[in-house]
Amino acid sequence: MTDPKEHLIDWLRNAYAMEKQAESMLKAQASRLEHYPSLKGRIEQHIDETLSQQKLLEGCLDRLGSSPSAIKDLAARVAAMGQAVGGMTVSDEVVKGAIAGFVFEQFEVASYTALIAAAKTAGDADTQRCCESILPQEIEMGRWLLEHMPEVVAAYLERSRVGEDAKR
Ligand code: MG
Ligand code: FE
């Protein structure tokens, strides 16, 4: 028998590891982008959101008598993707990065949706509220990336066509 709270704590620690990975992926992307100012600006905004999400998760774990964990399990697999994107040097890295960024946000959306359900079942209203405040930020970042995908691709193709530095 396992108390729902045990699972909740485990998943909160995974979410913290996920947000650490999000931070390093987003920072790597933002620092490399040169010719796509609106994408860079939106990523920088999401770095700020990601740092405050980490603080919120730390608060939840602290209240539950636990602490953040190192990357493990599922988070480790997402981490591998994040690292691949962060260190990308392919010629179309801006496009591949936007696609991978969108996928990462969907992973976060599903993770917080699961956490909200777990917090509800465990009767932890504070954790539920905390995750409910984070979820819209992930939905919105994913939505923004999808909505702006066509213009990122168009800008990339045009820069590439006229021989300008296009990759990032
Ligand atoms: Mg996040
Ligand atoms: Fe996110």
Side-chain angles (χ1 to χ4, degrees):
M1 283 181 354
T2 309
D3 192 284
K5 210 149 236 173
E6 294 299 310
H7 292 297
L8 181 62
I9 289 170
D10 194 40
W11 295 342
L12 277 170
R13 298 178 78 193
N14 284 338
Y16 186 83
M18 172 180 78
E19 294 302 349
K20 284 306 227 190
Q21 191 52 47
E23 178 190 350
S24 64
M25 185 180 83
L26 293 166
K27 281 182 172 169
Q29 284 181 321
S31 73
R32 291 174 65 80
L33 282 173
E34 291 168 15
H35 305 299
Y36 302 87
S38 71
L39 177 60
K40 187 183 173 116
R42 186 60 182 88
I43 289 172
E44 281 168 347
Q45 180 193 328
H46 200 54
I47 290 171
D48 291 342
E49 290 168 346
T50 297
L51 295 177
S52 67
Q53 291 166 4
Q54 289 174 7
K55 289 273 166 265
L56 285 170
L57 293 171
E58 277 171 28
C60 288
L61 284 167
D62 200 46
R63 202 169 30 74
L64 291 162
S66 186
S67 57
S69 72
I71 286 171
K72 59 171 193 171
D73 306 332
L74 194 53
R77 290 202 284 277
V78 180
M81 182 184 86
Q83 258 139 25
V85 174
M88 213 176 253
T89 54
V90 291
S91 64
D92 57 350
E93 73 172 67
V94 63
V95 174
K96 288 205 165 70
I99 293 170
F102 172 79
V103 172
F104 195 96
E105 295 308 323
Q106 303 319 305
F107 182 83
E108 293 186 293
V109 167
S111 297
Y112 286 110
T113 301
L115 270 169
I116 290 165
K120 232 179 245 181
T121 300
D124 185 342
D126 286 340
T127 298
Q128 185 185 333
R129 225 174 298 119
C130 159
C131 294
E132 283 173 345
S133 74
I134 294 174
L135 179 60
Q137 297 177 335
E138 314 297 19
I139 291 172
E140 187 48 34
M141 183 60 182
R143 197 198 59 74
W144 193 96
L145 287 170
L146 195 60
E147 186 184 302
H148 291 79
M149 195 70 68
E151 75 192 49
V152 168
V153 170
Y156 169 76
L157 291 174
E158 179 57 16
R159 292 189 69 89
S160 184
R161 189 183 67 79
V162 300
E164 280 181 69
D165 183 18
K167 69 187 283 188
R168 59 191 197 213

